[in-house]
Amino acid sequence: MAQQYPEWIWQNGAIKPWAEATTHVMSHALHYGSSVFEGIRSYVTPDGAAIFRLTDHLTRLFHSAKIYDMALPYTRDQIAAACRDVVKKNGLSAAYLRPVAWRGLGGFGLSAETPIDVAVAAWPMGPYLGPEALEKGITACVSSWQRFAPNTIPAGAKAGGNYLSGQLIAREARRMGFGEGIALASTGLLSEGAGENIFLVFDGALHTTPASASILTGITRHSLITLAREDGIEVIERDLPREYLYLADEVFMCGTAAEVTPIREVDGKQVGAGHAGPVTRRIQELYFGLFNGKTHDKWGWLEPV
């Protein structure tokens, strides 16, 4: 089925038709990966449409831009307003939002000074890894591609060029018949999924890899850690060897797109009972409860459209 695009998009200060949001083929970002972006979801809640942790996502967008020496020409409030405007203009409530900033047309060298262009898109999105993934879980494999080593590319920035690594991991996994790939860090220890953070469950406690494992410290990851600890579930950030994927009681991935996706099998080895376990189910309940009203949003994470 062909992709159905939304009618409207925000670019460089104005809402315009989707087809008019163009950039030059010689833009710096197209050649060198010099872009930063965010993935954000809006949800239907009992109080109306709300964007999940919009402020936190835009804070990270500006942090990523700072790391890559990109001075964004709009304030956080202006980009936040653009996010709300593009959701409303397209008549959406549940949606995926993509604010993105990139080096546009200017000089041709790596260090060239160029204009910084900014756009915000929004479109409907269901479960990222498939309609049955949240319920039945997915299969995964450990990729032959490793994450970049520390002090090579900053894993803490959500930059376009960083996702070349994720593309290799994800496409290899799909080619081999798996739902998603899992990467090791340069140390040979666990890092994260192609575009998701990862949690393992041992004896009722959550174990997840630290920032030093070349992960993007995800906002969904932080949300789940907060919700779990609030619910009395122990959370441990630690180095994890590959074989722990095979020995864990439960494994799941998380991210804005993936939300909370169970993993039922890794490298052909069944994880736990072969389906989402009780801790994963509880984390799903707490997370999705934020949007259906069953989990109290004491942190102010739901920001009205």
Side-chain angles (χ1 to χ4, degrees), residues 209-266:
T209 52
S212 56
S214 293
I215 69 170
L216 179 71
T217 49
I219 290 171
T220 305
R221 173 185 180 273
H222 176 267
S223 303
L224 299 189
I225 290 172
T226 303
L227 290 168
R229 286 175 172 161
E230 182 76 11
D231 199 53
I233 300 171
E234 184 180 11
V235 182
I236 303 166
E237 296 182 70
R238 56 176 293 202
D239 289 332
L240 292 163
R242 171 179 178 164
E243 62 269 22
Y244 278 28
L245 290 167
Y246 313 141
L247 305 178
D249 301 322
E250 306 172 38
V251 180
F252 64 85
M253 287 178 162
C254 74
T256 295
E259 298 172 303
V260 183
T261 300
I263 297 177
R264 66 176 188 267
E265 180 184 290
V266 178

Side-chain angles (χ1 to χ4, degrees), residues 136-154:
K136 296 183 178 180
I138 62 168
T139 62
C141 66
V142 175
S143 178
S144 65
W145 295 99
Q146 291 186 330
R147 283 297 194 203
F148 25 83
N151 211 32
T152 55
I153 294 177

